[in-house]
Amino acid sequence: NAGVMQNPRHLVRRRGQEARLRCSPMKGHSHVYWYRQLPEEGLKFMVYLQKENIIDESGMPKERFSAEFPKEGPSILRIQQVVRGDSAAYFCASLPSGQLLSGANVLTFGAGSRLTVL
Amino acid sequence: QKEVEQDPGPLSVPEGAIVSLNCTYSNSAFQYFMWYRQYSRKGPELLMYTYSSGNKEDGRFTAQVDKSSKYISLFIRDSQPSDSATYLCAPKGSSGTYKYIFGTGTRLKVLA
């Protein structure tokens, strides 16, 4: 059973280009979270999605950032017109369906996608 | 005030030392207290968690929560070089809540 798969692992973009990060949750997981991690900083919540629904995007910048989790296929975090400040590691985590009601929800993280903006 | 505060370190200790890692939090609604370990260039992985106040032991690791002072600790006995990683605390609310708030993480280096 493969874990949470993220790709690409490393992405280099020039300012103004688009970055598209993909996350395939573990099999049977229908909840996906995206976090951003800057050097020397912790994980910052960006967005929480279920299949075809954005539940909470309060941590995501209002402009240039969007996320989706379609019925089929991976979750996508899209950053348009990237700027140098977007350089960071972006982590995806997933939860099994139904586990949300269990208090100790255990997030399973992917290895992250490292975005570098030149 | 941040919801979760954690000393970023780095913390360097000799092999075999007892390590104490700590977090404070401000939200009294937190009931579950997770510790994640993150190796360099990897994603975080759950190390252990506790519910409410008290202690929990798992091998060389002990998690401790004091809800009255909103203080969370992770102790590592007989530390090994393989314990060198960043340790993130992540308190969470009750069942049905979905949001994890992570501390900044404490970078630990265990010297052989």
Side-chain angles (χ1 to χ4, degrees):
Chain A
N1 182 17
V4 177
M5 303 301 292
Q6 289 190 250
N7 66 83
R9 290 294 310 279
H10 301 277
L11 183 63
V12 178
R13 285 287 179 265
R14 296 191 181 279
R15 281 179 296 171
Q17 291 185 318
E18 178 179 290
R20 197 173 286 229
L21 310 177
R22 287 177 291 278
C23 168
S24 295
M26 290 183 70
K27 188 176 180 180
H29 287 202
S30 62
H31 305 272
V32 165
Y33 295 72
W34 284 94
Y35 284 82
R36 178 163 65 177
Q37 188 174 44
L38 292 165
E40 309 302 323
E41 291 190 20
L43 291 163
K44 301 294 184 189
F45 169 81
M46 298 183 74
V47 61
Y48 163 53
L49 311 104
Q50 295 178 18
K51 285 278 188 183
E52 299 184 277
N53 282 307
I54 297 174
I55 307 301
D56 184 342
E57 56 183 348
S58 61
M60 206 150 65
K62 294 282 186 285
E63 297 179 357
R64 302 189 298 108
F65 285 73
S66 62
E68 62 176 9
F69 188 16
K71 188 176 178 182
E72 301 291 338
S75 175
I76 307 280
L77 180 67
R78 184 181 175 208
I79 311 172
Q80 294 178 290
Q81 299 175 340
V82 296
V83 300
R84 289 221 172 102
D86 296 333
S87 296
Y90 292 84
F91 288 95
C92 169
S94 70
L95 272 177
S97 313
Q99 199 183 68
L100 196 61
L101 296 179
S102 167
N105 308 353
V106 178
L107 291 178
T108 301
F109 281 87
S113 292
R114 279 160 182 82
L115 172 65
T116 301
V117 180
L118 302 177
Chain B
Q1 182 187 9
K2 287 185 180 179
E3 278 197 279
V4 182
E5 303 248 23
Q6 193 175 2
D7 186 338
L11 178 63
S12 291
V13 300
E15 183 176 356
I18 296 174
V19 177
S20 172
L21 305 168
N22 308 296
C23 278
T24 58
Y25 63 94
S26 57
N27 189 343
S28 57
F30 290 147
Q31 292 191 23
Y32 295 88
F33 303 91
M34 321 284 183
W35 282 97
Y36 279 79
R37 178 173 60 194
Q38 184 178 21
Y39 290 112
S40 181
R41 299 293 192 181
K42 303 286 186 186
E45 56 180 354
L46 181 73
L47 188 60
M48 60 192 303
Y49 74 90
T50 54
Y51 171 70
S52 195
S53 283
N55 293 1
K56 184 174 182 179
E57 190 174 316
D58 184 0
R60 295 184 295 109
F61 298 88
T62 300
Q64 195 173 76
V65 177
D66 181 349
K67 290 192 75 180
S68 63
S69 58
K70 299 189 179 71
Y71 197 80
I72 315 164
S73 299
L74 177 70
F75 298 97
I76 308 174
R77 290 187 303 281
D78 187 24
S79 55
Q80 303 294 310
S82 58
D83 295 329
S84 299
T86 297
Y87 291 81
L88 302 109
C89 62
K92 184 187 159 294
S94 60
S95 299
T97 62
Y98 58 80
K99 209 164 182 177
Y100 278 91
I101 307 294
F102 285 84
T104 54
T106 298
R107 198 152 42 101
L108 171 68
K109 189 166 185 179
V110 180
L111 306 169

